[in-house]
């Protein structure tokens, strides 16, 4: 099982939703910014979780809209959710950042390309930090945003600040 399983089970645990609504909630909560999860993976995961008996679908028709499958957690899904929560939380914390592959290879570049890579990272960190600041400011006083969601945004912001500090120290040594 993966973190995607945990995310989908956790969302459906809160309230029964269609796969489309799960995907929209993932987008709204910006979950794909901190966990590798894509729209197709959500739809595939919903199907697999239903096949395993962790969620069940009920066909629902609202007004003139077409029927849609709404998923809810089964007792087995509840147990799997608990197992995943305890299992994943008991493992060492790993932070996987794709650009770390660039960082470990920086010294293999020419000075000019090394500076270009660092500028790219710096630009992307500034964009991320600005996005996070806007998101934090927008959501900090909204009661419907859970404190855990706000904590993830703060965590990402602190990480962006740490990367900025690292960039400054590296750039001093390159000049």
């Amino acid at each position: 099982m993966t973190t995607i399983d945990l995310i989908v089970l956790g969302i459906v645990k809160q309230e029964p939703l269609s796969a489309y609504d799960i995907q929209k909630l993932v987008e709204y909560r910006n979950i794909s910014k901190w966990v590798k999860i894509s729209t197709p993976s959500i739809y595939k995961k919903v199907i697999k979780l239903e096949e395993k008996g962790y969620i069940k679908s009920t066909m629902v028709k609202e007004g003139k809209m077409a029927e849609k499958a709404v998923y809810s957690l089964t007792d087995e899904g509840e147990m799997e959710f608990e197992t995943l929560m305890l299992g994943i939380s008991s493992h060492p914390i790993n932070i996987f950042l794709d650009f770390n592959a660039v960082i470990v290879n920086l010294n293999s570049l020419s000075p000019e390309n090394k500076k270009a890579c660092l500028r790219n990272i710096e630009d992307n960190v500034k964009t991320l930090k600005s996005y996070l600041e806007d998101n934090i400011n927008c959501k900090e006083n909204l009661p419907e945003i859970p404190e855990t969601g706000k904590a993830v945004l703060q965590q990402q912001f602190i990480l962006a600040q740490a990367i900025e500090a690292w960039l400054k120290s590296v750039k001093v040594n390159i000049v």
Side-chain angles (χ1 to χ4, degrees):
M1 290 299 217
T2 65
T3 53
I4 297 172
D5 298 333
L6 182 57
I7 288 169
V8 172
L9 291 173
I11 288 172
V12 174
K13 180 177 172 50
Q14 297 296 314
E15 66 178 306
L17 293 171
S18 68
Y20 175 79
D21 291 331
I22 294 168
Q23 182 260 321
K24 285 297 175 195
L25 195 54
V26 166
E27 283 178 18
Y28 174 73
R29 291 183 179 170
N30 299 305
I31 294 172
S32 60
K33 296 268 187 204
W34 43 274
V35 174
K36 288 191 178 194
I37 187 170
S38 65
T39 299
S41 68
I42 292 170
Y43 285 91
K44 289 176 191 172
K45 191 53 67 178
V46 165
I47 291 167
K48 287 191 188 274
L49 290 171
E50 185 174 31
E51 287 172 356
K52 291 180 178 181
Y54 297 143
I55 59 176
K56 65 178 177 180
S57 63
T58 305
M59 297 307 289
V60 174
K61 182 164 176 56
E62 296 174 355
K64 294 182 180 183
M65 303 293 290
E67 265 192 337
K68 65 180 178 180
V70 174
Y71 298 91
S72 58
L73 208 58
T74 64
D75 290 341
E76 293 84 7
E78 178 73 37
M79 290 187 311
E80 183 62 18
F81 173 79
E82 299 282 332
T83 300
L84 286 171
M85 286 292 289
L86 294 170
I88 291 172
S89 67
S90 68
H91 287 101
I93 295 172
N94 294 308
I95 300 174
F96 297 107
L97 305 169
D98 291 340
F99 74 92
N100 279 339
V102 172
I103 291 171
V104 298
N105 289 299
L106 276 174
N107 291 331
S108 299
L109 289 174
S110 66
E112 182 179 305
N113 284 337
K114 185 175 183 177
K115 287 178 185 176
C117 279
L118 290 171
R119 271 193 310 276
N120 290 340
I121 293 170
E122 185 175 36
D123 291 344
N124 285 318
V125 169
K126 282 181 184 175
T127 301
L128 173 63
K129 193 173 170 193
S130 174
Y131 163 80
L132 290 168
E133 283 176 318
D134 291 345
N135 210 345
I136 289 167
N137 290 333
C138 173
K139 294 179 178 171
E140 69 183 341
N141 294 319
L142 296 177
E144 67 269 20
I145 305 297
E147 289 302 315
T148 52
K150 294 174 189 176
V152 170
L153 288 172
Q154 287 294 333
Q155 178 189 77
Q156 290 178 326
F157 186 76
I158 292 166
L159 180 59
Q161 289 176 315
I163 295 167
E164 277 184 330
W166 171 80
L167 282 165
K168 284 180 186 175
S169 71
V170 170
K171 286 171 69 176
V172 166
N173 296 325
I174 293 178
V175 181

